[in-house]
Amino acid sequence: MGESEMTTSTDGTGGTGEEAVSRFVERFAAEMTAAGMQRMASRVFAALLASETASMTSAELAERLRISPAAVSGAIGYLTQVGMVSRERDPGTRRDRYVLHNELWYETFTRRDQVLVRWEKVLKEGAETLGPDSAAGRRTTETAEFFAFLHGEMSGIMDRWRVHKEAQGAGTPEAS
């Protein structure tokens, strides 16, 4: 498959290391799909996550996942749009390499935090429009308050994550 992390040693389950990695990729992709991510994007993301370098070319992804280049392209388009993967040029070639962001989960949740703020603002405006005494207005106000609560909690969680990472000796997340 062209990636150094693929081995042929046994994994303790009767399969090769490559088979075990493939099972992990498919299992994690299924979980992401069940959570709402597009199926092919989930598979491509999981394959990148499981690769030693966190990067692969379109041809490597197609071979690893046994999918068409068009399927890879569509999945990469989605993953790039949502900020989970970036496209880089392979040094000295004309091939693109698809790379997971360094602080992927930190960046993803930071962006989600920004979405919460925007939703809260729109919901507060909607609650005013619907009227505070109406059932719809009260429901919309409570939803805005919920997103405000999540925003406050997310900030604390991200701060605790940075402290935890530093304590583990992994450094601090890069600013996005």
Side-chain angles (χ1 to χ4, degrees):
M1 297 247 166
E3 292 250 338
S4 61
E5 78 275 5
M6 293 285 111
T7 65
T8 56
S9 62
T10 60
D11 62 10
T13 62
T16 65
E18 185 174 333
E19 291 168 353
V21 170
S22 290
R23 281 193 305 274
F24 162 74
V25 165
E26 294 304 327
R27 184 172 176 213
F28 187 58
E31 291 294 331
M32 293 179 73
T33 301
M37 185 183 269
Q38 297 174 357
R39 182 175 181 270
M40 222 31 84
S42 296
R43 293 183 72 212
V44 167
F45 176 82
L48 287 168
L49 184 67
S51 77
E52 191 65 25
T53 60
S55 71
M56 298 172 85
T57 65
S58 180
E60 289 169 338
L61 285 162
E63 181 181 349
R64 170 77 50 85
L65 298 171
R66 296 185 176 114
I67 60 177
S68 71
V72 171
S73 179
I76 290 296
Y78 172 82
L79 292 169
T80 301
Q81 181 181 7
V82 297
M84 296 177 79
V85 171
S86 61
R87 186 183 315 246
E88 296 178 0
R89 186 67 73 182
D90 240 355
T93 72
R94 294 175 53 185
R95 289 186 314 183
D96 284 330
R97 179 163 289 281
Y98 305 105
V99 182
L100 291 182
H101 289 288
N102 218 9
E103 295 289 338
L104 173 72
W105 298 115
Y106 178 83
E107 291 176 17
T108 298
F109 280 97
T110 299
R111 277 191 301 279
R112 293 287 181 241
D113 191 49
Q114 294 163 358
V115 168
L116 293 175
V117 170
R118 290 195 313 266
W119 288 0
E120 177 191 352
K121 180 180 182 228
V122 171
L123 286 162
K124 283 181 177 178
E125 291 169 1
E128 289 177 25
T129 300
L130 296 167
D133 296 329
S134 71
R138 287 189 300 274
R139 189 171 45 251
T140 305
T141 297
E142 182 177 340
T143 304
E145 290 170 356
F146 175 73
F147 286 127
F149 174 80
L150 283 182
H151 171 69
E153 291 298 306
M154 189 64 68
S155 297
I157 289 169
M158 299 317 291
D159 290 343
R160 289 189 300 279
W161 169 247
R162 281 190 290 274
V163 169
H164 173 78
K165 242 183 122 167
E166 288 173 6
Q168 299 298 315
T172 58
E174 297 173 12
S176 45

